[in-house]
Amino acid sequence: AQTVTQSQPEMSVQEAETVTLSCTYDTSENNYYLFWYKQPPSRQMILVIRQEAYKQQNATENRFSVNFQKAAKSFSLKISDSQLGDTAMYFCAFMKPGKYIFGTGTRLKVLA
Amino acid sequence: DSGVTQTPKHLITATGQRVTLRCSPRSGDLSVYWYQQSLDQGLQFLIQYYNGEERAKGNILERFSAQQFPDLHSELNLSSLELGDSALYFCASSVGGGPGRNTEAFFGQGTRLTVV
């Protein structure tokens, strides 16, 4: 069975600093997608970034980038130049046909 | 705005009652997913429909059922409600039903269900 593990329940970072959120997953599949979603206090789920497993190049979206290590089944999110608006729950998600599984989330607080 | 519409936004009902949550996916999306998020919890996958047919099932209780209609909107029916069913129920939609281009899911704003 596929599982997604986020081992950091809570993290904090100073404004303008860089923070990395960890995610590991377990699968025997070769073709799948990985995502990071952000859930601010409004509780809206917002897609932050996605990574196709067949692509070796790490995805980047402005201040957000991932470190995808397929062999290690690791998919971490790096947030550069953290902003107060980045304060939210961050969920890692795994997708393959018939499965869209989320981790338990990391609560990130950006400190002024 | 994700383009996914969920109604109602809030719902308060009594134990033992039945409610229906509605989801309209983004234009062109064929898949609809339902998730349950209890307070300060992660997202529990309930069920997925693709083009009108059930595609995958998660931890959905027998008291819960769902369907996707020909116009691709979906409804989640919750019956014999219990206090523990109080949660935020999310609907998400995607173009495909599995890996491929544009398969990420876009979420609605959720329906907050309170059972009293």
Side-chain angles (χ1 to χ4, degrees), chain B residues 65-91:
Chain B
S65 65
Q67 55 183 325
Q68 187 179 28
F69 294 87
D71 66 352
L72 300 178
H73 90 272
S74 178
E75 293 181 356
L76 179 67
N77 300 296
L78 315 176
S79 61
S80 302
L81 285 167
E82 302 175 358
L83 296 178
D85 297 328
S86 295
L88 190 57
Y89 289 85
F90 281 108
C91 166

Side-chain angles (χ1 to χ4, degrees), chain A residues 39 43 91, chain B residues 35-39 41-43 87-90:
Chain A
Q39 188 178 41
R43 301 198 79 179
F91 292 97
Chain B
Y35 288 87
Q36 178 192 56
Q37 186 180 34
S38 301
L39 190 62
Q41 299 284 318
L43 285 90
L88 190 57
Y89 289 85
F90 281 108

